[in-house]
Amino acid sequence: LNDNQFSGNLPLGIGDMAELRGASLFNNTFNGLIPTSIGNLNKAVALYLDENAFTGPIPTEIGQMESLVDLRLRDNKLTGTIPTELGRLSNVETIYLDTNAEVTGTIPVELSNLVKMTELHLYDMNLNGPLPPELGILKELIYLYLDGNELTGSIPDDWGEFHSLEQFFLTGNNLSGSLPITLRGLQSLEMFRAAGNDLTGTIPSDLGKLTKLEYIYLEGNDFQGDIPKELGELTKLKVMHLHTTKLSGEMPPEICNLKAAFALEVLTADCGPEQIVCTSACCNCEGP
């Protein structure tokens, strides 16, 4: 029933369809509350209510859907907090709650129970508080999108245990502290976005050990010191943004060699005598 023009409230009786294996109602114009009776669909493996206009809280009863593998509530007008009861969905692999700008509160620690989860989409919401270290136990996680929130605190050391993680997005929060050296454990990482935070310290040289990295976005932070030459070991690197920071010194020739070899396509930095010394052949200069 997806991709239609259905509107109005979702019938309260939807919970009576005990044998339903999935509900695909995305990209319609349904509104009103998501019925709490939906929690009775304990044989459903997929619940797609995304891209509608549902309002009100995320029903805690969804935590009763013990067979659920794929939960998608993104791009609605939901409010309230993320229910801790979602931590009971022991079979879930993907959760899309993003683009609900009125959902607030913290990321529930209980999500660490979802050990089969491969995708967690919580971007463009209004989440606050710290990043739960307990989520580091999610070894199957491939996509973690937390950008566009009000999250605070530092990146937990435990998150270096995301050995399967390929895309890690933290852009546009209020995160502080330094990049933990444990990030060297993200051996599958291809894209790292942490721009627009309040991160400090130096860029760890161990990022050069993440040989699958293709995209690095660290601009708009308070990083200081030299750019580590070890980043020149990232032979798959295509884009690296380092501008609007407090980095200084010379752009390492090892990194400029990637640009000369046409592997690195975009390299931004604040160029200047008190900032990054870099030629226009190497850097896309953002400074004077």
Side-chain angles (χ1 to χ4, degrees):
L1 299 177
N2 52 282
D3 297 313
N4 283 290
Q5 297 296 320
F6 295 126
S7 59
N9 294 345
L10 205 58
L12 297 177
I14 190 172
D16 297 331
M17 305 172 71
E19 299 300 315
L20 195 68
R21 299 304 175 97
S24 183
L25 302 173
F26 67 88
N27 196 20
N28 283 288
T29 55
F30 287 114
N31 54 42
L33 302 178
I34 299 174
T36 58
S37 63
I38 208 161
N40 297 330
L41 303 179
N42 55 19
K43 291 186 179 180
V45 297
L47 180 61
Y48 298 159
L49 302 182
D50 41 320
E51 299 178 53
N52 281 285
F54 289 113
T55 57
I58 299 170
T60 60
E61 290 79 5
I62 289 178
Q64 301 170 14
M65 301 176 68
E66 58 189 28
S67 299
L68 199 62
V69 174
D70 196 344
L71 172 62
R72 304 191 184 207
L73 304 179
R74 69 173 305 273
D75 199 3
N76 279 286
K77 299 178 180 179
L78 299 172
T79 57
T81 60
I82 300 175
T84 59
E85 289 81 359
L86 296 188
R88 300 175 184 171
L89 300 174
S90 58
N91 289 302
V92 82
E93 295 179 7
T94 56
I95 293 181
Y96 290 68
L97 303 181
D98 59 272
T99 324
N100 283 291
E102 298 300 318
V103 174
T104 187
T106 59
I107 300 173
V109 172
E110 289 79 3
L111 296 185
S112 63
N113 297 328
L114 308 181
V115 294
K116 295 182 180 180
M117 188 158 56
T118 60
E119 299 185 38
L120 181 58
H121 298 245
L122 301 180
Y123 63 90
D124 291 344
M125 301 174 73
N126 194 25
L127 301 176
N128 54 56
L131 305 176
E134 294 85 353
L135 295 190
I137 199 173
L138 302 177
K139 309 298 185 188
E140 303 300 318
L141 204 59
I142 298 174
Y143 304 111
L144 179 56
Y145 301 141
L146 302 176
D147 36 322
N149 283 288
E150 299 292 333
L151 298 168
T152 57
S154 59
I155 301 172
D157 289 341
D158 297 31
W159 284 23
E161 299 295 316
F162 291 140
H163 299 313
S164 299
L165 198 64
E166 296 180 6
Q167 296 188 3
F168 187 14
F169 290 9
L170 297 171
T171 292
N173 282 286
N174 298 310
L175 298 173
S176 57
S178 58
L179 294 178
I181 194 171
T182 55
L183 291 183
R184 64 188 176 192
L186 307 182
Q187 291 299 312
S188 299
L189 196 62
E190 297 175 359
M191 185 179 294
F192 181 41
R193 291 177 175 263
N197 282 286
D198 299 312
L199 297 171
T200 57
T202 59
I203 296 176
S205 60
D206 278 356
L207 286 187
K209 296 179 180 178
L210 304 182
T211 57
K212 294 185 179 181
L213 263 178
E214 298 181 16
Y215 301 90
I216 299 176
Y217 297 81
L218 297 178
E219 73 272 19
N221 283 289
D222 291 324
F223 294 118
Q224 298 182 6
D226 295 336
I227 299 170
K229 66 179 182 180
E230 287 82 1
L231 297 183
E233 299 172 14
L234 301 176
T235 57
K236 294 186 177 181
L237 194 62
K238 297 178 181 178
V239 174
M240 183 160 65
H241 289 301
L242 301 175
H243 61 276
T244 322
T245 65
K246 297 177 182 178
L247 294 168
S248 58
E250 183 179 356
M251 182 64 69
E254 292 86 351
I255 296 177
C256 290
N257 288 343
L258 295 177
K259 192 77 177 290
F262 301 104
L264 184 57
E265 299 169 5
V266 177
L267 173 60
T268 65
D270 300 313
C271 302
E274 302 299 323
Q275 298 169 304
I276 301 297
V277 178
C278 188
T279 66
S280 59
C282 178
C283 291
N284 302 90
C285 291
E286 298 287 332

